[in-house]
């Protein structure tokens, strides 16, 4: 009798572990979202990756605050958005890069207006698990810093799994 119950206990523990693994996989596949932003006015060179230093939301811990890259955890259709700010008398382009290809841009131009401006760009794209998505300063940018810490403009990057 004791051996029979011992086997049932092992089966129950294995079933609980399997259920936990399935739940984690389900959560990973349906709960993918991040929102990060810059807390200061960084100076970036053209084609340099923007490294957003504030992680407001990162449900799957897939955004790397050390290198600025979002690692796609699950194959699917994603929405990515970038907002970028330019200082007065300047202009800046931010490019959304998916696996080395420019998929979207945002161009903020206040060169002739003498005011701070922002612009946003949004893409909907199919991405495979393991793909890399990031934002870089575009070639169509001047040498002014990117603005991000005033009351009206926040340079930010976000994304989420649509389906």
């Amino acid at each position: 009798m004791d051996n029979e119950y011992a086997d049932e206990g092992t089966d129950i523990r294995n079933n609980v572990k399997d259920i936990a693994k399935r739940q984690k996989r389900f959560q990973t596949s349906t709960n993918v979202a991040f929102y990060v932003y810059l807390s200061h006015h960084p100076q970036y060179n053209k084609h340099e990756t923007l490294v957003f230093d504030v992680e407001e939301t990162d449900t799957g811990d897939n955004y790397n605050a050390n290198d600025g890259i979002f690692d796609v955890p699950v194959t699917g259709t994603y929405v990515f958005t970038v907002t970028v700010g330019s200082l007065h008398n300047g202009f800046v382009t931010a490019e959304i890069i998916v696996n080395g290809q420019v998929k979207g841009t945002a161009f903020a131009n206040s060169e002739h207006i003498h005011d701070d401006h922002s612009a946003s760009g949004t893409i909907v794209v199919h991405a495979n698990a393991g793909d890399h998505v990031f934002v870089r300063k575009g070639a169509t940018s001047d040498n002014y810093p990117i603005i991000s810490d005033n009351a009206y403009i926040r340079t930010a990057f976000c994304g989420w799994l649509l389906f």
Side-chain angles (χ1 to χ4, degrees):
M1 286 289 228
D2 288 334
N3 287 341
E4 182 179 333
Y5 290 117
D7 289 342
E8 284 180 15
T10 300
D11 289 341
I12 290 171
R13 282 190 299 276
N14 288 338
N15 286 340
V16 168
K17 287 179 184 177
D18 289 342
I19 290 168
K21 284 180 186 176
R22 281 195 302 270
Q23 285 176 335
K24 184 175 182 179
R25 189 171 37 240
F26 176 75
Q27 290 171 348
T28 300
S29 66
T30 60
N31 297 322
V32 179
F34 72 97
Y35 170 69
V36 295
Y37 64 90
L38 295 172
S39 66
H40 58 290
H41 296 316
Q43 182 75 36
Y44 286 99
N45 296 317
K46 295 173 184 176
H47 290 161
E48 187 175 354
T49 301
L50 277 62
V51 179
F52 299 88
D53 60 322
V54 179
E55 289 183 66
E56 189 72 29
T57 303
D58 190 2
T59 59
D61 197 30
N62 298 301
Y63 176 79
N64 186 332
N66 295 316
D67 63 12
I69 296 174
F70 173 76
D71 293 313
V72 175
V74 175
T75 297
T77 300
Y78 285 80
V79 178
F80 294 104
T81 270
V82 63
T83 299
V84 64
S86 68
L87 285 170
H88 59 278
N89 297 329
F91 56 93
V92 64
T93 302
E95 300 173 333
I96 302 172
I97 308 297
V98 180
N99 278 342
Q101 296 182 341
V102 177
K103 295 293 186 176
T105 61
F107 179 69
N109 185 356
S110 56
E111 183 177 24
H112 301 290
I113 300 171
H114 310 293
D115 199 1
D116 298 339
H117 280 180
S118 65
S120 294
T122 301
I123 63 169
V124 178
V125 64
H126 177 81
N128 294 311
D131 285 355
H132 299 292
V133 182
F134 60 92
V135 173
R136 73 180 184 191
K137 189 173 183 181
T140 311
S141 300
D142 66 11
N143 290 324
Y144 285 89
I146 293 172
I147 191 170
S148 186
D149 66 350
N150 73 20
Y152 304 105
I153 296 175
R154 177 172 282 168
T155 295
F157 177 38
C158 67
W160 60 93
L161 176 63
L162 187 59
F163 54 84

